[in-house]
């Protein structure tokens, strides 16, 4: 049950040394590949990192977060801004069933549907939004595979504007073209629960849910 996985999952920041099997890592990646996205644009690419030197660089990119530096595996979850270019966006729209030529032209040229028509900020926000779905799906599948995962967003990238030097080094190391950016790191491994499991701290149900009208 998905809700069971959600209820029992937490951000894991301590790992055993053993590297998870490729089958488990591939199940996690598959969950990300199958995530929903805006008009099915899928503006993402995931890079699996096991190399210690690259993991260390990712640790620097996260401003020295220990669980990143000590991670057995990291998936660098990248946004692909080129997916929103007019040509690529058009291809995605044209691949959809049942759209008339007029509807296709409308979608491709509408700032409501094509963030490229709104400018770079909208492209960044929409890319972030899509990658977020993929990362959430991957994190849940990691827990479903009895792995531990932590989503790490506090890194040097276009969103934080921090750590420009490390960011450049990381982009070079991962061979990322200009139109791609690491949005999150998904840190993965077998959880070390020797110090227990943290309590899930969330707002109460009624604090975050209303019916028909907002009520406090
Ligand atoms: C978008 C995003 C970015 C996050 N970035 C970090 C991070 O940089 N470092 C970290 O240790 N945890 C990070 N987290 C994990 C959150 O701190 C964690 O989900 C939250 O405190 C709730 O705890 P739980 O996941 O254990 O229930 C991030 C979570 C999300 C969704």
């Amino acid at each position: 049950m998905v809700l069971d996985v959600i209820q029992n999952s937490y951000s894991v920041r301590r790992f055993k040394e053993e590297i998870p099997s490729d089958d488990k890592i591939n199940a996690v990646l598959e969950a990300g590949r199958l995530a929903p996205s805006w008009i099915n644009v899928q503006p993402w690419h995931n890079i699996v990192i096991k190399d210690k030197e690259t993991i260390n660089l990712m640790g620097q990119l996260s401003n020295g977060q220990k669980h990143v530096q000590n991670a057995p595996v990291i998936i660098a979850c990248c946004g692909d801004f080129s997916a929103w270019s007019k040509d690529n966006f058009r291809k995605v729209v044209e691949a959809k069933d049942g759209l008339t030529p007029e509807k296709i032209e409308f979608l491709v040229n509408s700032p409501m549907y094509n963030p490229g028509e709104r400018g770079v900020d909208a492209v960044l926000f929409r890319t972030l939004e899509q990658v977020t779905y993929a990362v959430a799906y991957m994190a849940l599948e990691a827990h479903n595979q009895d792995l531990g995962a932590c989503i790490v967003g506090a890194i040097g990238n276009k969103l934080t504007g921090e750590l420009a030097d490390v960011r450049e080094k990381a982009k070079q190391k991962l061979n990322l073209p200009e139109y791609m950016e690491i949005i999150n790191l998904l840190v993965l491994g077998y959880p070390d629960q020797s110090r227990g499991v943290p309590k899930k701290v969330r707002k109460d149900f009624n604090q975050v849910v209303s019916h028909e009208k907002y009520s406090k």
Side-chain angles (χ1 to χ4, degrees):
M1 290 296 137
V2 176
L3 188 56
D4 284 345
V5 177
I6 293 171
Q7 280 167 335
N8 292 313
S9 70
Y10 63 97
S11 294
V12 174
R13 298 186 177 86
R14 287 182 173 277
F15 300 99
K16 296 177 180 162
E17 269 180 33
E18 186 187 349
I19 293 180
S21 68
D22 284 345
D23 280 355
K24 284 185 183 282
I25 296 172
N26 285 340
V28 171
L29 294 163
E30 184 65 351
R33 186 181 75 86
L34 295 174
S37 65
W38 183 271
I39 313 190
N40 211 13
V41 168
Q42 305 166 67
W44 50 57
H45 192 100
N46 294 310
I47 301 176
V48 180
I49 302 171
K50 296 177 188 166
D51 175 72
K52 288 283 176 219
E53 201 182 293
T54 315
I55 286 180
N56 187 44
L57 185 57
M58 294 303 123
Q60 291 174 43
L61 192 67
S62 71
N63 205 23
Q65 295 189 51
K66 285 275 178 300
H67 46 293
V68 180
Q69 249 147 13
N70 299 329
V73 180
I74 294 175
I75 299 176
C77 309
C78 303
D80 176 358
F81 302 115
S82 74
W84 305 100
S85 75
K86 205 148 188 170
D87 282 354
N88 287 336
F89 189 78
R90 178 181 290 281
K91 280 182 202 149
V92 170
V93 174
E94 284 175 350
K96 292 216 118 9
D97 280 342
L99 295 181
T100 62
E102 293 74 29
K103 183 75 181 173
I104 290 171
E105 281 318 303
F106 169 72
L107 292 172
V108 168
N109 293 300
S110 160
M112 172 83 95
Y113 292 98
N114 181 355
E117 295 298 291
R118 292 249 312 136
V120 286
D121 283 352
V123 166
L124 179 60
F125 296 149
R126 286 290 174 219
T127 304
L128 168 67
E129 180 182 49
Q130 312 326 303
V131 172
T132 299
Y133 282 99
V135 173
Y137 274 44
M138 287 194 285
L140 284 181
E141 182 54 27
H143 294 291
N144 190 43
Q145 291 288 330
D146 294 325
L147 297 176
C150 184
I151 300 168
V152 172
I155 57 171
N157 64 10
K158 272 199 164 99
L159 286 156
T160 61
E162 293 289 308
L163 302 168
D165 290 357
V166 193
R167 184 176 151 205
E168 234 4 84
K169 269 195 217 161
K171 285 191 82 164
Q172 272 182 23
K173 186 87 178 171
L174 299 186
N175 201 25
L176 288 185
E178 207 31 61
Y179 53 82
M180 287 186 60
E181 184 81 17
I182 308 172
I183 306 289
N184 291 123
L185 300 173
L186 186 65
V187 173
L188 278 184
Y190 291 104
D192 172 358
Q193 294 174 328
S194 57
R195 296 194 192 177
V197 169
K199 194 171 155 257
K200 211 171 188 72
V201 181
R202 292 295 189 269
K203 292 179 181 174
D204 291 337
F205 190 88
N206 290 335
Q207 253 186 304
V208 295
V209 176
S210 307
H211 294 277
E212 311 301 344
K213 285 181 181 178
Y214 172 68
S215 63
K216 253 187 150 186

